[in-house]
Amino acid sequence: MNYQWIYKALVLVSFLGLSACSPKPAEEPKTSAFQPTASIQEIMNSIVDTNADEVWNSVATISTKEGTEERSPKTDEEWLKVRRHAITLLEASNLLIVEGRKVAEPGSSTSTVPVENSAEVIQEDINKHRPEFIAHANALHSATKEAIAAIDAQNTEELVRIGGKIDQACESCHARFWYPGEKLPVFPRLERPAAQKL
């Protein structure tokens, strides 16, 4: 009898048995590239509003009883300060559209204005029309890029003009998702009186 062959067979069977009983290596946990923690409301209050205000208010005309003051960045350092706020606003537009970010914390109010939708309604509308919401955020991104170009050129007139585009980008998104049912008041049309015949 060939005992060497039997010994090799037993070793092979033992090895296969141990391999089958060995625990499988743990799979790598699946992780998202982003971890959205703050809500859209929190990003708006803490990043978008504060930095947009700094860009808008960098150029202003202030009237007091002492006279009128024209405010605008004068030095390179002052322009750099405005640019930093604009860069933060630029990237905040990307934060708004990160997948999985909720509109607001459960039970929180998005506004004290009665015409504004609840956070739940806004969330549902954004989920249903996400490409449209992304387009609004991208409009804010594009307008802010133009503002940065005006800042780099130290062009106050252009910065004021682009500031209006930033405001329009924000307001158009709010009007679409936050208070789409708002009705603007209708004022009576003022007719010019007919010229009296002499």
Side-chain angles (χ1 to χ4, degrees), residues 78-144:
E78 290 173 342
W79 280 107
L80 179 59
K81 180 180 177 182
V82 180
R83 192 180 198 279
R84 286 171 177 158
H85 289 294
I87 288 291
T88 306
L89 177 61
L90 181 77
E91 290 304 328
S93 67
N94 288 323
L95 294 177
L96 294 172
I97 56 177
V98 169
E99 284 286 349
R101 191 180 303 285
K102 54 187 176 292
V103 168
E105 293 298 326
S108 63
S109 173
T110 53
S111 176
T112 57
V113 181
V115 73
E116 190 162 306
N117 286 337
S118 67
E120 292 76 17
V121 172
I122 297 170
Q123 185 76 69
E124 183 180 359
D125 197 10
I126 289 176
N127 291 344
K128 286 182 178 178
H129 305 95
R130 186 156 183 79
E132 189 176 351
F133 177 69
I134 292 174
H136 282 289
N138 287 342
L140 172 60
H141 190 274
S142 297
T144 308

Side-chain angles (χ1 to χ4, degrees), residues 140-153:
L140 172 60
H141 190 274
S142 297
T144 308
K145 281 182 69 175
E146 293 183 51
I148 292 170
I151 292 167
D152 289 343

Side-chain angles (χ1 to χ4, degrees), residues 159-198:
L159 182 56
V160 170
R161 186 184 73 82
I162 300 302
K165 291 185 68 173
I166 292 174
D167 181 58
Q168 183 180 8
C170 294
E171 185 58 28
S172 63
C173 184
H174 298 164
R176 168 61 186 85
F177 291 100
W178 268 252
Y179 35 85
E182 181 182 28
K183 303 296 182 186
L184 296 177
V186 178
F187 295 98
R189 184 175 177 183
L190 298 178
E191 298 288 350
R192 179 178 295 179
Q196 292 182 351
K197 293 183 179 180
L198 297 176

